[in-house]
Amino acid sequence: MNGAGGAGEADVLPGQARVLPAGPHALLVELADGEHAEAFHAELLRRRERGELPAVREIVPAARTVLLDGIADRTPGARDRFARDLAAWRVAPPQREGRDPVEIPVVYDGPDLAEVAALWGVPAGEVAVLHSRAAFRVAFCGFAPGFGYLTGLPERLHVPRRTTPRTRVPAGAVALAGPYTGVYPRPSPGGWQIVGRMPDPGALWDPAREPAALLGPGTPVRFVAVGAEEAAAAADGGAAIPAPRAEAPRADASRADAPGADASRAHAPGADAHRAGDFPVRDSPVGA
């Protein structure tokens, strides 16, 4: 969507953000929901780019919080004053300026496809149509290097996690849980509903690339259905499936400091967003 935020999105009003100390040199901003967290994160980056934000080392968004770590001003009372200023901000809904989406090819043949179709009340073949029709956006990253939590599915298509998590989910699995879609960049345990697979998931995380993560916060994403035969032919050296490409770092990239700096820590398990205590077990791909 171009221009202003979508219908139903509201400003973050003064006093709605709860700002808490986090460790000796950090602040954790708690917001009402994911849309407010996205808007607050974008506003922080805009103000930092304009030189209107006190120096901080990292700005890390999560499901309903934003962590500001490494506050440079260590003078007495400086962090408290900064916290009061943040709590008094009025922040408009996030802007959806024209950014080409990253296109992720998906073979919709996942082991949970039939269960998801039943939950949606549609034939199994309709899952690919409905899922690939949605406009997704990376809300935040975590769990594993390169794993993005994507929002965009209508509420009626939200599904619960699996009752029994799998001990191993293959790399490239495209899975759903609650409001999120995720693509597993590496094999791991997981409790999300797998509806398909990305034929070549290597692009999701490439330490030799800047940025290393294909899907950073704020990135628009579109899933493109491909056939199993097409994917197999490409693997055998036939006509290649177009590979997704990472965009150049932008003001709303996943890192607030120099692009690519310490990127593995930003997305690794136990990184700042996890450290802030914002990922309840039910929101993590790992089984409860």
Side-chain angles (χ1 to χ4, degrees):
M1 178 189 317
N2 294 332
E9 294 180 337
D11 291 3
V12 180
L13 300 176
Q16 287 186 333
R18 185 181 182 211
V19 185
L20 303 171
H25 308 299
L27 290 170
L28 182 69
V29 184
E30 294 185 343
L31 288 307
D33 54 33
E35 289 178 354
H36 281 180
E38 181 183 354
F40 208 93
H41 175 241
E43 181 66 14
L44 284 163
L45 297 188
R46 279 193 294 269
R47 294 195 187 204
R48 181 170 186 171
E49 191 174 24
R50 297 195 299 256
E52 300 172 359
L53 190 74
V56 297
R57 187 176 69 248
E58 297 181 88
I59 302 175
V60 185
R64 292 174 296 277
T65 66
V66 183
L67 181 75
L68 294 92
D69 196 14
I71 297 171
D73 190 346
R74 307 293 170 83
T75 58
R79 185 173 67 163
D80 291 342
R81 290 191 296 272
F82 189 17
R84 288 193 295 270
D85 289 344
L86 292 171
W89 282 9
R90 182 183 184 120
V91 178
Q95 299 295 304
R96 311 299 193 193
E97 280 119 8
R99 250 178 109 176
D100 291 336
V102 172
E103 295 190 343
I104 304 291
V106 181
V107 180
Y108 285 93
D109 60 357
D112 301 316
L113 190 68
E115 182 173 347
V116 170
L119 290 168
W120 288 2
V122 300
E126 284 295 303
V127 171
V129 175
L130 292 172
H131 188 258
S132 61
R133 183 184 294 164
F136 290 91
R137 189 175 181 87
V138 182
F140 58 96
C141 299
F143 171 63
F147 190 97
Y149 289 73
L150 280 61
T151 56
L153 277 181
E155 187 172 357
R156 64 185 178 85
L157 300 183
H158 295 179
V159 298
R161 297 162 44 83
R162 286 174 50 84
T163 304
T164 304
R166 294 180 170 90
T167 57
R168 187 182 188 278
V169 173
V174 177
L176 316 178
Y180 301 117
T181 291
V183 188
Y184 286 73
R186 59 175 62 174
S188 69
W192 291 20
Q193 308 269 11
I194 301 174
V195 295
R197 55 189 167 93
M198 180 182 179
D200 182 7
L204 293 170
W205 179 258
D206 181 358
R209 181 184 62 208
E210 295 290 354
L214 179 69
L215 305 178
T219 303
V221 178
R222 176 174 172 259
F223 290 98
V224 180
V226 298
E229 297 82 3
E230 184 181 359
D236 291 339
I241 296 172
R245 293 181 296 176
E247 292 190 357
R250 297 171 57 100
D252 57 350
S254 61
R255 302 285 297 183
D257 48 356
D262 200 16
S264 60
R265 191 169 70 86
H267 298 280
D272 291 329
H274 288 174
R275 197 169 64 224
D278 192 52
F279 292 163
V281 172
R282 64 180 180 276
D283 286 346
S284 168
V286 177

